[in-house]
């Protein structure tokens, strides 16, 4: 008999590592840029190529796992991820580093949907499945919190590549443990993958993610941004039309008729859209406004990620009491309250002032992501678990990119409009650098006389706080709206979603309401 909790441990370990890998790169960037002599364009590609490959291939890899076997794909991805991590750690130049990061993205795309679909197939009892998805979501949140701490410790003692070498022994454990304990599962009725659909999904997602990322860097009205956005939307539109006509589509678009599926995917996208603002703001606020070191900043944010893990575990216990829509709405409301609190932060801070909203927000995001991910898996046919998981992960990636582009633009716009430069630096290169970002202001100030440097840094910090406050208020308002949408969109979804009934019923088909009533009556 399969030890399903051992299977969950392997899935969680792989997910934890993927979360860690995303966060440690940002800490390592300054040092690897200095060592490799990367240009500004190469730095952007080093940071972004992983996300491009990941977002472009999630749907394809989720479907591939349904066809060739989720265990087989996960283990192959583990081998590839370990090898690409070693290549990244020892990359001798920026070009090879970019190629290695692209390979990491390809390997990550095989691992992400495989872990969640394995959980879906191993845990067949609905209440256990919800709890397992909560633990899985919690480990993902914990990885984002632990990453800066682990990365900071490694960078204090070793060279920049050491943060990527951490992946190798962990992936060896995943490979050995997965070989021993994971069962194989696949869709027995799946046909061949439609290659034109693969090309359309990859081209569409890469173009859209590229457009939103470049919009954050260059502005939305640049020719390359508009062209990429238009091409991406066109590819995805053709992709969607093609899926509706194929007998074996990469994404069964009929799934979006199911209110629980569509509302959960949409809520997840909007939730991570808003949460990306926090990661962006705090990376700058803690280090450039408060003057904390990267390790101090990482340790300060650790309770937020750990409380997210706790929220993921607690969500399963709350669902029978207040319903799925209540848990998601409560989680988003907690986050809205946290951002209202962030709008009051200043240049002086006691840690308790930060700890309260960070913990509440972490618990809230654990609530929302756990229930939404479980909804997506439970309302899709079990044999299509990989494809369903890929849709959920794609929404996560796209929401994060959009959030940084849109909310990052709000933050930057308010900062620039409110920046009151001292007269003695207003027309100088230091002033031009300060107008770009607070990081540019702090860096430029290091080369100025003490009085001018102090005035410039104070002006930049004041303008940044204005931007952070406005962005926090906008984010809180968006979260409140999304909470109301979740409350309505997930209304009537039963606390226990039975595979044999709800997952097989279309929301708009005759008998759907009766099926929901029967399921609710069984509780």
């Amino acid at each position: 008999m399969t030890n399903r909790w051992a299977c969950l441990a392997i899935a969680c370990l792989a997910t934890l590592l993927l979360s860690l890998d995303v966060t440690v790169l940002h800490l390592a960037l300054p040092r690897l840029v200095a060592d490799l002599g990367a240009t500004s364009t190469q730095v952007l590609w080093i940071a972004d190529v992983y996300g491009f490959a990941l977002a472009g291939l999630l749907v394809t890899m989720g479907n591939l796992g349904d066809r060739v076997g989720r265990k087989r794909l996960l283990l192959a991805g583990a081998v590839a991820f370990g090898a690409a991590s070693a290549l990244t750690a020892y990359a001798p130049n920026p070009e090879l580093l970019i190629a290695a990061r692209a390979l990491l993205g390809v390997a990550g795309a095989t691992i992400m949907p495989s872990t969640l679909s394995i959980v879906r197939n191993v845990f067949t009892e609905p209440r256990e499945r919800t709890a397992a998805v909560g633990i899985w979501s919690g480990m993902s949140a914990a990885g984002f919190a632990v990453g800066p701490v682990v990365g900071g410790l490694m960078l204090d003692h070793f060279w920049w590549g050491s943060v990527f070498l951490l992946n190798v022994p962990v992936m060896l454990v995943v490979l050995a443990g997965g070989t021993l304990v994971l069962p194989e599962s696949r869709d027995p009725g799946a046909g061949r993958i439609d290659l034109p659909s693969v090309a359309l999904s990859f081209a569409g997602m890469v173009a859209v993610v590229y457009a939103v990322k470049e919009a954050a860097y260059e502005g939305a009205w640049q020719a390359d941004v508009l062209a990429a956005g238009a091409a991406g939307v066109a590819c995805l539109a053709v992709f969607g039309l093609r899926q509706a006509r194929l007998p074996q589509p990469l994404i069964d678009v009929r799934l979006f008729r199911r209110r629980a599926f569509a509302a959960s995917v949409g809520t997840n996208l909007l939730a991570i859209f808003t949460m990306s603002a926090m990661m962006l703001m705090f990376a700058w606020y803690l280090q450039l406004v408060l003057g904390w070191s990267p390790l101090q900043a990482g340790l300060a944010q650790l309770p937020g990620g750990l409380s997210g893990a706790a929220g993921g575990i607690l969500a399963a216990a709350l669902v029978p009491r207040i319903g799925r829509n209540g848990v998601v709405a409560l989680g988003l409301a907690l986050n809205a309250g946290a951002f209202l609190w962030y709008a009051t932060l200043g240049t002086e801070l006691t840690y308790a002032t930060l700890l309260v909203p960070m913990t509440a927000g972490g618990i809230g995001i654990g609530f929302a992501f756990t229930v939404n991910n479980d909804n997506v898996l439970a309302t899709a046919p079990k044999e299509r678990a990989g494809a369903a998981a890929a849709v959920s992960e794609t929404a996560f990636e796209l929401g994060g990119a959009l959030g940084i582009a849109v909310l990052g633009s709000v933050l930057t716009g308010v900062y620039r409009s409110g920046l009151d430069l001292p007269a003695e630096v207003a027309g100088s290169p230091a002033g031009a650098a300060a107008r770009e970002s607070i990081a540019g202001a702090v860096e430029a100030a290091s080369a100025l006389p003490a009085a001018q440097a102090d005035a410039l840094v104070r002006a930049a910090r004041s303008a940044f706080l204005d931007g952070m406050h406005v962005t926090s208020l906008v984010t809180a308002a968006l979260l409140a709206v999304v909470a109301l949408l979740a409350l309505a969109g997930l209304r009537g979804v039963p606390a226990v979603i039975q595979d044999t009934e709800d997952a097989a019923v279309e929301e708009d088909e005759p008998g759907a309401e009766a099926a929901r009533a029967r399921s609710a009556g069984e509780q």
Side-chain angles (χ1 to χ4, degrees):
M1 182 177 177
T2 299
N3 186 331
R4 56 190 183 279
W5 297 106
C7 294
L8 177 62
I10 295 298
C12 286
L13 187 60
T15 300
L16 176 69
L17 192 59
L18 290 175
S19 302
L20 284 169
D21 192 73
V22 171
T23 54
V24 296
L25 172 70
H26 298 293
L27 289 175
L29 267 177
R31 202 173 292 181
L32 71 85
V33 168
D35 287 352
L36 299 181
T39 66
S40 58
T41 301
Q42 288 171 332
V43 171
L44 291 179
W45 277 105
I46 290 167
D48 291 340
V49 71
Y50 175 88
F52 292 157
L54 187 70
L57 289 171
L58 275 170
V59 170
T60 298
M61 292 303 182
N63 277 269
L64 187 62
D66 288 339
R67 286 164 168 79
V68 306
R70 290 119 189 174
K71 173 182 178 178
R72 180 180 299 174
L73 189 65
L74 175 61
L75 297 182
V79 172
F81 201 88
S85 296
L87 186 61
T88 301
Y90 292 105
N93 55 61
E95 293 80 9
L96 189 56
L97 180 57
I98 291 168
R101 290 287 297 168
L103 290 175
L104 277 173
V106 175
T110 69
I111 294 171
M112 267 190 178
S114 297
T115 58
L116 197 50
S117 58
I118 285 171
V119 171
R120 168 71 169 91
N121 278 270
V122 168
F123 289 87
T124 55
E125 199 281 319
R127 288 185 176 87
E128 278 196 346
R129 183 199 60 234
T130 304
V133 172
I135 295 170
W136 179 92
S137 299
M139 290 301 288
S140 180
F144 282 107
V146 173
V149 177
V150 174
L153 287 171
M154 296 295 291
L155 291 171
D156 276 351
H157 297 90
F158 306 104
W159 93 112
W160 61 264
S162 64
V163 298
F164 300 106
L165 281 184
L166 282 172
N167 299 339
V168 177
V170 178
M171 276 305 174
L172 288 175
V173 174
V174 170
L175 183 63
T179 302
L180 292 174
V181 306
L182 292 180
E184 187 57 278
S185 62
R186 60 173 61 87
D187 180 1
R192 299 177 64 182
I193 287 184
D194 181 60
L195 293 181
S197 294
V198 171
L200 286 168
S201 68
F202 181 80
M205 283 304 304
V206 169
V208 167
V209 172
Y210 173 84
V212 297
K213 283 180 177 288
E214 287 300 300
Y217 296 135
E218 300 180 10
W221 303 110
Q222 300 296 317
D224 61 330
V225 173
L226 294 173
V233 170
C235 286
L236 292 178
V238 175
F239 172 80
L241 292 172
R242 186 174 181 84
Q243 302 317 290
R245 299 189 178 99
L246 289 174
Q248 292 289 335
L250 289 189
I251 294 178
D252 187 351
V253 292
R254 293 173 298 174
L255 287 173
F256 287 93
R257 293 182 188 171
R258 302 173 187 176
R259 184 157 46 84
F261 185 92
S264 296
V265 171
T267 303
N268 258 2
L269 188 150
L270 292 170
I272 193 60
F273 174 92
T274 55
M275 291 310 297
S276 63
M278 187 187 75
M279 293 183 283
L280 179 70
M281 290 190 310
F282 275 89
W284 291 344
Y285 173 68
L286 296 177
Q287 296 181 62
L288 300 177
V289 175
L290 299 184
W292 294 0
S293 70
L295 181 57
Q296 287 176 314
L299 287 169
Q301 295 179 76
L302 188 59
L306 296 180
S307 61
I313 296 169
L314 291 172
L318 275 180
V319 166
R321 292 171 171 79
I322 63 176
R324 289 176 177 266
N325 64 333
V327 175
V328 175
L330 174 61
L332 296 172
L334 285 171
N335 270 282
F339 274 96
L340 286 176
W341 196 315
Y342 297 149
T344 68
L345 298 179
T347 55
E348 300 293 330
L349 180 75
T350 60
Y351 187 59
T353 305
L354 186 63
L355 185 62
V356 172
M358 187 181 295
T359 302
I363 291 172
I365 208 66
F367 285 172
F369 285 156
T370 294
V371 175
N372 282 330
N373 285 331
D374 188 51
N375 290 344
V376 168
L377 293 179
T379 53
K382 184 178 177 182
E383 64 273 10
R384 298 282 286 158
V391 171
S392 180
E393 296 291 350
T394 300
F396 189 93
E397 289 296 317
L398 185 57
L402 284 169
I404 290 174
V406 176
L407 295 175
S409 296
V410 173
L411 178 62
T412 301
V414 176
Y415 166 81
R416 288 175 177 171
S417 65
L419 182 61
D420 186 14
L421 290 171
E424 57 270 25
V425 299
S428 68
R435 290 188 188 93
E436 288 298 314
S437 68
I438 185 174
V442 172
E443 178 66 24
S446 64
L448 296 175
Q452 292 183 14
D454 182 62
L456 178 59
V457 169
R458 279 191 286 108
R461 286 175 174 170
S462 176
F464 178 83
L465 281 174
D466 289 342
M468 190 176 88
H469 293 161
V470 171
T471 305
S472 295
L473 292 173
V474 170
T475 304
L478 285 172
L479 281 164
V481 171
V482 177
L484 293 175
L485 291 175
L487 200 61
L490 296 174
R491 181 176 53 82
V493 178
V496 179
I497 303 177
Q498 301 289 348
D499 292 345
T500 54
E501 297 200 6
D502 297 89
V505 175
E506 298 286 356
E507 287 281 355
D508 59 350
E509 286 180 357
E513 192 65 40
R516 288 195 298 272
R518 287 196 302 273
S519 177
E522 291 171 0
Q523 297 174 48

